[in-house]
Amino acid sequence: MNKGTHIMFDYDNLMESEYINTKMFTENIIKLLDKTIEQSNLNEIDRSINIFDDDNNKTPPGFAIVVVLDESHISFHSYTKLGILAIDIFTCGECSKDNTRKAGDIIMNILEKTYPSINLKQKYEIKRFIY
Amino acid sequence: MNKGTHIMFDYDNLMESEYINTKMFTENIIKLLDKTIEQSNLNEIDRSINIFDDDNNKTPPGFAIVVVLDESHISFHSYTKLGILAIDIFTCGECSKDNTRKAGDIIMNILEKTYPSINLKQKYEIKRFIY
């Protein structure tokens, strides 16, 4: 038995010709997140959206988006110049496994339809608090 | 070669007699996080602190704290009634492995000194974007 599931996706081969620019890409990922939360019946508590502009000299261009759920979270970190996108989905409430997988499936389906060149390099599923 | 490291800690056996109440526990975890970020030379962008009070009927008591770093994050989720604390540290910048491990070590040291009864049930280290 376990309490909570942590799923991670490593996507690469993101093409600038598909996502256009960091700002547009961020807006599309926010729409994807809204849809995922609604369809997976997750309870959003807070979100933090941070865009690193293409002309920002301090940080490589990309974004960091974290949605805090009811005692869990979904995060998206993108490094657009490298064409990579790191996602993690952690749920540790009663909903757990099914909702985590459902959210993961929705994210994968939308991402892969919207950005056909994107490639799922690695996927991990970690069971947390195994008893 | 990999880009980014994701470390997860599953702590259990957290005793109410040690953490006193959810509010005090949250305050102590925030201090721990401040020290970790400073000593690991991590670059904080934003943070989201959400306390689920002991008398909140909707959500089991605990907290969800996420610190967004420069294109990465640290999260703490606690379910105090169950005595468990789930932590994840993800760094995917140039700093990566060393900083992730350093942050993890600082968190473990402070937690285990402050709450002697706490027990590290599982620890996971996932290499992201393996090439």
Side-chain angles (χ1 to χ4, degrees):
Chain A
M1 224 187 82
N2 70 298
K3 179 163 170 51
T5 305
H6 208 136
I7 293 178
M8 283 154 273
F9 300 132
D10 293 350
Y11 276 104
D12 66 2
N13 206 40
L14 186 64
M15 306 289 272
E16 192 167 353
S17 58
E18 281 184 349
Y19 72 78
I20 314 297
N21 61 45
T22 299
K23 195 171 171 286
M24 278 185 68
F25 186 39
T26 311
E27 283 167 6
N28 280 334
I29 293 296
I30 292 168
K31 281 183 206 155
L32 177 161
L33 266 167
D34 289 338
K35 201 174 277 185
T36 304
I37 290 161
E38 190 196 328
Q39 292 182 3
S40 313
N41 211 15
L42 297 170
N43 185 19
E44 180 174 343
I45 304 288
D46 194 18
R47 66 172 69 185
S48 171
I49 297 166
N50 310 276
I51 305 177
F52 310 106
D53 286 333
D54 297 334
D55 53 1
N56 179 335
N57 292 324
K58 269 197 227 157
T59 304
F63 57 71
I65 301 174
V66 181
V67 176
V68 181
L69 304 169
D70 193 344
E71 308 204 355
S72 53
H73 70 261
I74 299 179
S75 81
F76 277 70
H77 297 284
S78 180
Y79 319 86
T80 49
K81 280 277 179 275
L82 297 173
I84 69 175
L85 176 64
I87 302 170
D88 82 313
I89 310 165
F90 171 50
T91 63
C92 201
E94 278 170 30
C95 52
S96 202
K97 207 154 103 187
D98 283 348
N99 278 39
T100 318
R101 284 228 184 106
K102 193 174 180 183
D105 288 347
I106 294 168
I107 289 169
M108 281 173 70
N109 284 337
I110 300 178
L111 264 185
E112 292 172 16
K113 266 186 202 152
T114 316
Y115 307 102
S117 63
I118 211 171
N119 169 55
L120 181 59
K121 189 165 181 53
Q122 280 126 28
K123 183 184 168 183
Y124 320 80
E125 183 175 323
I126 305 284
K127 290 191 198 321
R128 304 286 301 262
F129 295 96
I130 300 170
Y131 285 89
Chain B
M1 225 187 83
N2 72 298
K3 180 165 168 52
T5 305
H6 209 135
I7 293 178
M8 283 154 274
F9 300 132
D10 292 351
Y11 276 104
D12 66 2
N13 205 38
L14 187 64
M15 306 288 272
E16 193 167 355
S17 57
E18 282 185 346
Y19 73 77
I20 314 298
N21 60 45
T22 299
K23 196 172 168 287
M24 278 185 68
F25 187 39
T26 311
E27 284 167 7
N28 281 332
I29 293 296
I30 292 168
K31 281 184 207 154
L32 178 161
L33 266 167
D34 289 338
K35 202 174 277 187
T36 304
I37 290 160
E38 191 196 327
Q39 291 182 3
S40 312
N41 211 17
L42 297 169
N43 186 18
E44 181 174 344
I45 305 289
D46 194 19
R47 65 171 70 185
S48 171
I49 297 167
N50 310 275
I51 304 178
F52 310 106
D53 286 334
D54 297 334
D55 53 0
N56 179 336
N57 293 324
K58 269 197 226 159
T59 303
F63 58 72
I65 302 174
V66 181
V67 175
V68 181
L69 303 170
D70 193 345
E71 308 203 354
S72 53
H73 70 260
I74 298 179
S75 82
F76 278 69
H77 298 284
S78 180
Y79 319 86
T80 49
K81 280 277 177 275
L82 297 174
I84 69 175
L85 175 64
I87 302 171
D88 83 314
I89 309 165
F90 171 49
T91 62
C92 201
E94 278 171 28
C95 53
S96 201
K97 209 154 99 185
D98 283 347
N99 279 40
T100 318
R101 284 228 184 105
K102 193 173 179 182
D105 288 345
I106 294 168
I107 289 168
M108 280 173 69
N109 284 338
I110 300 177
L111 264 184
E112 292 172 15
K113 265 185 201 154
T114 314
Y115 307 102
S117 64
I118 211 171
N119 169 54
L120 181 58
K121 189 165 182 51
Q122 280 125 26
K123 183 185 169 184
Y124 318 81
E125 184 176 322
I126 305 284
K127 289 189 198 324
R128 305 287 299 262
F129 295 96
I130 299 170
Y131 285 90

